[in-house]
Structures are given as C-alpha cells and as structure tokens.
Amino acid sequence: MKKLVILLTFLTSACVQQEIVDELLLIHATGIDYVDELNFRATVSVPIYKGDNGNNSGEGVTSETITAVGRTAKNIRAEMDSKSPKLINNSKLAVVLFNNEMAKKGIIEQGDTFYRDPLVGQRLYLGVFEGSTNQLLENQPSLQPEISKYLSELIEQNINNHNIPKSNMHVFVYRLYQEGMETYLPYLKKVNDQVQVTGVAIFKNDKMVSALSLEESIIFKMLIENFQGGTYEVALPDKEFASIRNLSAQSSYQVEMRKGMPEITLNLRTKGYVNEYSGIPLDQKKINEINHLLEEELTVEISKLIKKFQDLETDPVGLGFQVKTRTRGWDEQKWTDQYPNVKVHVNVDTIITHGGVSD
Amino acid sequence: MANLIPERSKVSPFFLFFLIPGMQVGVGVFGFPRYLADEAGFDSWLAVIITGISTSVIIWLVFIILKRGGGDIIEIHRNTFGKWIGGFISFLMFLYLFSFSLVILRTYTEVIQIWIFPDLSTWSITLAYCILAYYAVIKGFRVVTGLSIFAVIISFLAFSSLIGPLEYIEVRNLLPLLDHSISEYLTSAKTMVLGFLGVKMLFIYYPFIKKPDKAVKWAIGGNVFTLVVYLFVVLAAFVFYSPGQLQKTVWPLFTMWQIIELPFIERFEYLAIPAWGAVILSGVCLALWVSSRGFRLLFSFNQKQTLIVLLLIVFSLSVIFQTREAIDRMNTVTAEIGFYFTYIYIPILWLIQSIRKKGSS
C-alpha cells in the first residue's frame, strides 16, 4: 500500500506541456505602434542563438522580429503565433516601447496586458520612443548585435547614473493609480543613428502630454526621489561653467492651508563637489560663488518646471499626494480644480563640500 | 474520553505554537491586503490587530469551555443542547472544519494554475495532494503536528523575503492615520476573519495535548505570531502599492515577490510558490484529520474509511469549482460561516455553560 501511494504521487505529476528553452522563442523586447483609432501594431524582438563559435563576445546572438497588427493583445498574439515556428513566450521580456503617437492616445490597455501576465516581471522597463518602434527593432541601429539587451541596458544605465528618475513596470503602475500623482516613463529617441534616452515623458492619466529634456529630467528627479551620485552643470557668468559631481538631493514638502487653498513649500537640500571648472583659480571664494549661483539656478529651474506642470494640468511631482497625506477627508476633485493655481514656494539649500583634489 | 488517548500519541503544549498558525496562515495571506483595503482603505491594518486580539480572547474562551466540559466537544454539546440538537451542532462544526481542506486546496491549485503551470489540470494537483494528505493523516496526530512546524518555518522564511521590495516603499501611503469611521474598521476586521480561522480545531485536538491547562499561553502565542505575520504583510503591501494599484492586483503578495531579483534566480515567486505547498499541505492535513476524527467520534465510524470518503469529496468538489468567481465565493462563504461560528457561537456556548453551571451548583 505504501509503495503504491508513493508511486501514484509520482505518476500524477507529469502531465503538462513541456517548455524547453531551445524550443521557445523568448521575447526580449516589444514595440507598440499606433496604427489607427482601433488597431495597433506590435513588434517583438527575439534573440536567435547561432550556437557556440568559441568566444563569449556575444557574436553568436542576433535578433529577429515578428510583427502583427490587431485590435486587442489577444488577436495580435494569435497572429504572431501563426507567423512563428516555435512557441512564443513572454517570460524574459525586458523592455516594452510605445511609440509617442501611441503614448499620446493612451496606453492603459496595453500596459494592463503586461501587468496582468504573471510571466512578466515587475522590473520590466517601459518607455516611450519617438518614431516607429517597428523600424527600431527591425533595423537594430545599435552597438550591440541584440537590440533588446541594448535598450534595457541603456535605460538601466540612465537610471543608475541619475539622468532620469527610477522607472519600471511597478513604478509606472504605482503612479498611474496613485491619487494626486501622475506617472512618467523614460523618453527615447534616435539621434544620428543612435538610440538615446533624451528625457522623461510626462503623462496625464495614461496619456502622454509632454516630454522633458535631460536637464529638466534631473531636476524632476530631485523633486520626486532622494538620491546621491548625480551630476549637474551650472552656468556661471562670463561663459564659464562648473560641473558638480556626486550630487545628492533630498526633498521634503510642507503644506499649509490658507483660506481653503493649500500652499506648498518645497525644501530641497543638495550636496556635491566641484569636479570641473572652466575658469581659474578655484578658491573658496569662487566655490561660495558657485554655491550661490547653483542655489539660485535650481530655485528658478524648479519653479519653472512646476509652473510647466501646472500649465499642463498634470502633477507628476505628486504635490496632490503630499496634500492628501496631510489632510483628513481629502477630495480629489477639489484638488484637481485647485492645482493649476496652487502656490509653491521653493527653498533650495546647497552645500559644496570641496573643489577637487588640486588647488 | 480524553483519558483514552495513549500518552505516546500526545504532543507537548509547546506545539500549539505551531498548530495554531499552521492552520491560520494558509492561502488567505496571498490576497487579503486587497480585500482589507476595500473598506477602511490604507488604515485597515488596524483591523488586523482588532481581529487578532479578539481571536486571542476566543482561544481563551475555548480553553475554558473545554476545561469545564472535560475536553470533549461532542459531550459538551450533548450536555448543553440535548442529544439531537447537540449532535447536529457537532456535525455542522465538523462539516465546517472539513470545508477548510477544500478551500485551501482549491485556492492553492488555482494559484499554481495561474502562476506556474497554466495548462495543468485541477484533478492532477488535487489527486497528488489527496494522496499525500492520506499518507500523512493516516499516521496520526503527531505527523500532522510535524507538518505544521514545517509550515510555520516556511511561511516565516517567505515573509522575511518582503524585505526585498523595500527599495520601492512610500511610507506616506499610510497617512493620514485613522481617517475612517469605527464601523469601517469593524467591517474590515470582519474581512480579516478568514485569516484567523482554525482556532476551533482546538475542540478536537485538545485531548491530544499533554497538560492542557498549561497550553493556553502557547495557543495564544501562536495566534500572536499569526497576527505579527499578517501585520507585516499588510503594512508591506500598503507602503508598496498605491490604492488603485492594489485594487487591480489579485495576489498582492506574489506581485511583491515579482520585484525581487536575486543573482541566482531572476524571479523569486517561482521558488516561493512551490515552497508554499508545504504550508498548504499542513492546513489540508490538519483539517482532514480534525474532521475525520470528529465524524468518527460522533458516528462511531472507522477513521480510515471516513478519511477516504472525505478525500473523495474534496477531490470531486475541487474539480467542480472551475472559475475564479466560484472559488472566491467559496472563500467568502466559508469566512462568513466561520465568523458566526467563531465569534458569535463560541461566546454564546461559553455563556450558556456558565449559566448552567451556576444553576446546577
């Protein structure tokens, strides 16, 4: 009896379809383009392994694409399956790019498809690409033979080096559904045959409304997250400039209610050292001057950026969230009406620790 | 009745610390933050504490009832309500405890089918589990207790993994504190009940505990352990998700695991979900053991044959429930019954017993 029981346990456990890595097409990148009101085009990029030719330089890998047009993710998938010799699988998906036209029309449906799929991880990078993602994935204009890996490393590198704020599937969905906060995605563009991260795409609900430049992106990053290790360039009078390294930023908010209108004070503390300075000499006096200019410049830039968001009636900084978490019985509708006219005071406090190792 | 159990089949009171969470921390933990937030929003972690504390009180009452009645619930029911009504209540109680095994197993099967093997049929997972459960339950209470130790250790490891998503937390989510009405907290607390059920199994395995009068502190200790685990999970979920996002996430715990990326394994949940199988097995075995023993005592059946019949019922009902909706409803109904059985019936039983005792003296 005992033996029979053990035998039965093993017998009942092997009845699923096998998924052998060699026999799957693992999608690494997907591009989604706008076609017309109803349809969109999806392009998936799958790596093709050519076998081991004795080195590890990655030359054995190229990528290939499959394209399909359809109205829902499901019939796109059916069309792709009909074009593919092997089973297509989403479990290694690393990047999904939406073309900017698509992003302007709203990407909630497609985004939801990926969020819903348990095979897709939460660290998936989403991004907006200016131009056709279909051409991007097919032509592979990159330094690496495999475009999808290039794209995910590109975004990752830009986040780690503090050009753009943290972004992935989780952050996108978190902000999309958070009250008093709007979401953003990395914005990519092809410049001189090379793909670059050129800033951040700002959304209102699930629709892209604007794209920030890289300079604006780092300021935006200072407002929404604490980090260290960034770089910032200050323009000085007489066409001089100084670059601040190892910049750390910490922002905090204060909310005061005046006659039913919230007034927000933003305190930003930054710290860094001067790494590059075009003029000479760099003495303590000059450092103080740079410090002062940096403070002024950041204050102006931040105010400008917040004004820009208020004019666009979108709140990616999450000022509404700051007010919400400090108010009992917060009313989202009322806040939306107030938002474009809310006063935001900006206090910047910078410390420049030293001017490098040479005098 | 309690005297008939041989000393070698009994366990030390210490093991109640595992037996209680072994039943409580089952499948409810995967999804409960979402249901909890329905009423009192991100304030509802307070509801976990309310339910946890009230469950501790219930455990204490259960011990009092059993001590007065000599440790045999069937006898207690018979003395309190008469032969037929008392027997019928006992029968309902065992039926209800039995339904746990179905709820846990079917929900876990659904998880496996959605996350790991989409084309694995329900009957094969259920069959494998039924055979395993038979193998364990037939060996008696000590084996079942052993399984619950496994369950507690594994669940503890899995929850400590929630340190992984720390990178993305936003503590401000919990603010403003206490922004809801008392009735909203109580409704949330009621939702939480499913996570704390299983204390009624004490009625059955009480005679199997050595020195039962010293056991109450271990039982409440186990309950507090469950409370802490739930509190940790719910706080982790609330600082990790935004309210709208949580409403869209069926199993917040798994989606939190999805963000964990280890150097040697890219996706943590593929490791954690199968490991959870041991936790599930403990719950299923405990429920089956308790109900088969209950039916045996009530109807003087043979426990082995009862067990086989119960397993057949679990197996066939599991296959019948097909959709998420049906499984959800099954969960809700069990929680609802459990709420009345545990938080209303037990205090009433205690009250009646107290009055009768006074009357007879």
Side-chain angles (χ1 to χ4, degrees), chain A residues 39-158:
Chain A
N39 298 298
F40 61 94
R41 181 197 298 118
T43 312
V44 299
S45 164
V46 288
I48 304 294
Y49 299 94
K50 285 183 182 158
D52 193 13
N53 49 6
N55 58 22
N56 285 327
S57 59
E59 280 171 25
V61 191
T62 53
S63 46
E64 224 168 71
T65 56
I66 304 174
T67 309
V69 179
R71 217 164 64 169
T72 62
K74 206 175 173 183
N75 54 54
I76 284 191
R77 185 58 192 266
E79 196 184 328
M80 281 185 181
D81 280 337
S82 72
K83 287 179 184 172
S84 158
K86 295 175 183 172
L87 202 64
I88 301 178
N89 187 303
N90 251 343
S91 51
K92 289 288 281 180
L93 188 63
V95 190
V96 174
L97 290 183
F98 296 96
N99 104 308
N100 57 345
E101 218 176 330
M102 188 78 219
K104 278 174 192 159
K105 299 284 176 196
I107 55 173
I108 198 159
E109 260 173 58
Q110 291 78 16
D112 190 60
T113 311
F114 293 111
Y115 189 66
R116 205 171 276 276
D117 187 351
L119 285 178
V120 177
Q122 293 292 312
R123 282 185 192 266
L124 166 74
Y125 289 121
L126 303 175
V128 177
F129 180 72
E130 193 175 305
S132 158
T133 60
N134 175 267
Q135 278 171 23
L136 172 76
L137 293 177
E138 269 179 4
N139 299 343
Q140 315 189 13
S142 71
L143 306 170
Q144 272 199 348
E146 206 209 321
I147 178 84
S148 50
K149 188 149 193 207
Y150 177 78
L151 289 172
S152 63
E153 279 173 2
L154 180 73
I155 296 174
E156 192 181 335
Q157 189 275 124
N158 272 285

Side-chain angles (χ1 to χ4, degrees), chain B residues 43 75 80 85 123 133 140 171 180 257 277 288 334:
Chain B
D43 262 353
E75 198 61 37
T80 318
I85 302 178
W123 69 265
V171 182
H180 292 84
W257 280 341
L288 283 170
T334 314

Side-chain angles (χ1 to χ4, degrees), chain B residues 106-242:
Chain B
R106 186 62 190 96
T107 313
Y108 184 66
T109 313
E110 191 202 3
V111 169
I112 295 269
Q113 284 170 333
I114 288 178
W115 282 83
I116 302 183
F117 297 120
D119 37 4
L120 192 59
S121 52
T122 312
W123 69 265
S124 59
I125 307 175
T126 319
L127 185 60
Y129 258 95
C130 284
I131 293 169
L132 263 175
Y134 176 81
Y135 190 54
V137 173
I138 210 71
K139 288 287 172 196
F141 185 62
R142 290 177 67 98
V143 173
V144 177
T145 311
L147 280 175
S148 71
I149 296 175
F150 260 118
V152 169
I153 293 170
I154 286 173
S155 64
F156 188 72
L157 289 179
F159 291 127
S160 49
S161 68
L162 289 182
I163 294 166
L166 272 183
E167 191 186 343
Y168 293 98
I169 60 170
E170 173 60 73
V171 182
R172 290 208 77 83
N173 272 345
L174 297 173
L175 298 174
L177 287 174
L178 308 181
D179 197 21
H180 292 84
S181 68
I182 291 176
S183 68
E184 282 171 322
Y185 289 117
L186 290 181
T187 326
S188 286
K190 202 181 154 198
T191 326
M192 201 51 228
V193 162
L194 185 62
F196 282 99
L197 292 180
V199 294
K200 258 210 311 303
M201 296 193 167
L202 264 174
F203 280 132
I204 309 288
Y205 56 66
Y206 181 84
F208 283 80
I209 311 247
K210 291 176 193 164
K211 299 182 209 133
D213 21 323
K214 285 194 179 146
V216 66
K217 63 174 182 206
W218 290 113
I220 288 178
N223 190 57
V224 170
F225 175 80
T226 313
L227 169 65
V228 171
V229 164
Y230 280 147
L231 200 60
F232 182 59
V233 174
V234 83
L235 285 176
F238 286 175
V239 295
F240 184 74
Y241 293 106
S242 56

Side-chain angles (χ1 to χ4, degrees), chain A residues 87-235:
Chain A
L87 202 64
I88 301 178
N89 187 303
N90 251 343
S91 51
K92 289 288 281 180
L93 188 63
V95 190
V96 174
L97 290 183
F98 296 96
N99 104 308
N100 57 345
E101 218 176 330
M102 188 78 219
K104 278 174 192 159
K105 299 284 176 196
I107 55 173
I108 198 159
E109 260 173 58
Q110 291 78 16
D112 190 60
T113 311
F114 293 111
Y115 189 66
R116 205 171 276 276
D117 187 351
L119 285 178
V120 177
Q122 293 292 312
R123 282 185 192 266
L124 166 74
Y125 289 121
L126 303 175
V128 177
F129 180 72
E130 193 175 305
S132 158
T133 60
N134 175 267
Q135 278 171 23
L136 172 76
L137 293 177
E138 269 179 4
N139 299 343
Q140 315 189 13
S142 71
L143 306 170
Q144 272 199 348
E146 206 209 321
I147 178 84
S148 50
K149 188 149 193 207
Y150 177 78
L151 289 172
S152 63
E153 279 173 2
L154 180 73
I155 296 174
E156 192 181 335
Q157 189 275 124
N158 272 285
I159 292 171
N160 290 344
N161 283 336
H162 306 300
N163 289 325
I164 56 171
K166 262 189 219 165
S167 175
N168 57 28
M169 169 76 107
H170 169 70
V171 173
F172 177 76
V173 179
Y174 174 89
R175 297 181 74 94
L176 184 61
Y177 291 108
Q178 180 63 280
E179 292 161 329
M181 205 184 258
E182 300 291 347
T183 195
Y184 60 81
L185 286 179
Y187 194 72
L188 289 84
K189 206 189 219 166
K190 208 163 125 184
V191 184
N192 303 332
D193 270 359
Q194 234 197 310
V195 192
Q196 280 183 7
V197 172
T198 61
V200 170
I202 299 295
F203 283 71
K204 184 183 167 81
N205 296 325
D206 69 320
K207 295 179 179 65
M208 178 181 134
V209 287
S210 173
L212 302 183
S213 66
L214 268 186
E215 290 75 31
E216 286 169 317
S217 298
I218 183 152
I219 297 209
F220 177 52
K221 188 181 172 92
M222 288 178 193
L223 299 183
I224 59 167
E225 65 187 55
N226 299 337
F227 65 93
Q228 49 186 351
T231 1
Y232 189 77
E233 207 177 272
V234 215

